[in-house]
Amino acid sequence: MSFPDERGGSWTLLTGHGHVLVEIARNPQARIRDIAAAAGITERTAQAIVADLEEAGYITRTRIGRRTRYGVNPDSSFRHPAQEGLQVGPFLAVLAATGDGITTPGLNDGEIPKRGRYRRRRVPGRLSG
């Protein structure tokens, strides 16, 4: 899904894979439903993207009881030749920052954040749910 801008365009700078990776970096305990909503894609698409990211080594999945906890590998390299040799960690640190000085849990040393500690940014034109 794409969101039209003020000039009528409907493209976004990041792909679905980029949006999912940023959301996982922001909230490693997010459910597929939450990831899909934040990325503006369907749950089925989010599941496929998470599988792609795991297979490529960008993320890991760990089951904790009935929940899944994601970990981001900040040392993973971008896949496009134009960014050859660059790692995704610094990119994710900027995009996943909360703006309140709290470090991004998906890029930390494995700390599990307390519920409600991290705020979600509002995106104009999106319905909150």
Side-chain angles (χ1 to χ4, degrees):
M1 181 193 313
S2 59
F3 301 97
D5 62 19
E6 58 273 357
R7 294 179 295 161
S10 61
W11 62 276
T12 63
L13 188 58
L14 298 179
T15 65
H17 285 68
H19 287 291
V20 168
L21 188 57
V22 168
E23 185 58 24
I24 288 171
R26 279 188 187 140
N27 185 2
Q29 296 185 74
R31 299 172 300 172
I32 288 291
R33 164 183 311 193
D34 302 326
I35 293 168
I41 57 178
T42 66
E43 289 182 41
R44 183 177 294 219
T45 300
Q47 287 174 331
I49 289 173
V50 165
D52 287 347
L53 292 171
E54 184 179 29
E55 183 178 326
Y58 285 94
I59 64 169
T60 58
R61 286 193 264 194
T62 305
R63 293 290 290 181
I64 300 174
R66 294 177 55 194
R67 298 294 301 262
T68 300
R69 168 142 170 92
Y70 299 96
V72 175
N73 179 4
D75 297 329
S76 296
S77 297
F78 282 94
R79 293 171 51 112
H80 197 279
Q83 289 82 38
E84 185 177 348
L86 297 176
Q87 296 176 333
V88 299
F91 171 77
L92 290 174
V94 170
L95 290 180
T98 61
D100 57 7
I102 296 174
T103 57
T104 304
L107 299 175
N108 284 359
D109 55 13
E111 166 193 344
I112 298 175
K114 293 181 175 70
R115 187 175 178 97
R117 182 173 168 193
Y118 301 96
R119 294 181 305 207
R120 201 186 278 282
R121 291 186 320 181
R122 293 185 149 269
V123 177
R126 276 204 194 161
L127 298 175
S128 59

